Amino acid sequence: MPTASRYLQVIAHYHVKPGLGDRVSELLGELTAATRQEPKNLGYDFYRSPQDPDRFVILERYTDASGLDDHRAAPHFQRLGFGTIIPMLVSRQVQSFEVSVNGDGVATAVQR
Amino acid sequence: MPTASRYLQVIAHYHVKPGLGDRVSELLGELTAATRQEPKNLGYDFYRSPQDPDRFVILERYTDASGLDDHRAAPHFQRLGFGTIIPMLVSRQVQSFEVSVNGDGVATAVQR
């Protein structure tokens, strides 16, 4: 993932209802491809826990907070995210940091 | 993962040499169990990409930067990390944020 001087880092934890992990994995693949086309997206990758296959983490980067807002408003997230994957979850925890990296590498992060 | 007012958030990306992913997954399971016993560790979870099984991400939290230093000095990381897993990698990228969350949720992060 490219490191810009300013970006929004998002760590999203998805805990899937038992037995739906494989289907969510497929859907996240679709969502990944569509999200990476968004103008303000800098990276979007999802991973699955080998120790608990019902747990996924998504690492996302946007140019800034408005990029995450645009992502959530996008038709593909409305359909795949809110409309399909999120109802298949037990829980969802999203943590984001607005990171700005100055000359000597010091980053200021606003945790939402 | 518990949210303290101060912590070190680490995102480590491991790209494994072809064919070694399953073995690294086993070793990361061992490393996870040992790391969670460290006094300054607040969380340690590893995930694997369904789209590219040679790519793992580890999400780690420590009380502060000295916790990551202690982790790297620990015998189990010397043996499992530096001694076994890291030689099995194509690449390794570690990003860490020293996060301090004040009253209104504003976090200051030093990106290492």
Side-chain angles (χ1 to χ4, degrees), chain B residues 58-72:
Chain B
I58 308 169
L59 298 182
E60 315 172 36
R61 272 199 193 175
Y62 301 92
T63 50
D64 53 35
S66 73
L68 179 57
D69 298 336
D70 292 358
H71 169 64
R72 286 173 171 157

Side-chain angles (χ1 to χ4, degrees), chain B residues 4-106:
Chain B
S5 62
R6 269 175 54 85
Y7 61 89
L8 185 81
Q9 174 72 56
V10 176
I11 303 174
H13 291 270
Y14 282 15
H15 183 189
V16 181
K17 292 175 183 170
L20 299 181
D22 290 348
R23 180 60 186 138
V24 165
S25 191
E26 285 168 18
L27 292 163
L28 285 174
E30 266 184 70
L31 186 55
T32 296
T35 301
R36 286 177 181 166
Q37 304 306 313
E38 295 170 12
K40 296 180 182 175
N41 181 262
L42 297 175
Y44 192 96
D45 294 283
F46 71 102
Y47 300 85
R48 191 173 189 178
S49 168
Q51 296 190 316
D52 180 352
D54 291 339
R55 290 188 184 273
F56 291 79
V57 70
I58 308 169
L59 298 182
E60 315 172 36
R61 272 199 193 175
Y62 301 92
T63 50
D64 53 35
S66 73
L68 179 57
D69 298 336
D70 292 358
H71 169 64
R72 286 173 171 157
H76 51 267
F77 192 80
Q78 294 287 325
R79 179 172 59 83
L80 289 168
F82 290 123
T84 313
I85 294 170
I86 290 173
M88 298 167 79
L89 304 183
V90 172
S91 69
R92 168 175 170 248
Q93 189 213 16
V94 180
Q95 189 193 20
S96 60
F97 299 95
E98 275 176 19
V99 183
S100 55
V101 185
N102 61 26
D104 57 10
V106 174

Side-chain angles (χ1 to χ4, degrees), chain A residues 64-101:
Chain A
D64 53 35
S66 74
L68 179 57
D69 298 336
D70 292 357
H71 169 63
R72 286 175 171 154
H76 52 267
F77 192 80
Q78 293 289 324
R79 179 174 58 84
L80 288 168
F82 291 124
T84 315
I85 294 170
I86 290 173
M88 298 167 81
L89 303 182
V90 172
S91 68
R92 167 175 171 252
Q93 190 213 15
V94 180
Q95 188 194 21
S96 60
F97 299 95
E98 275 175 20
V99 182
S100 55
V101 184

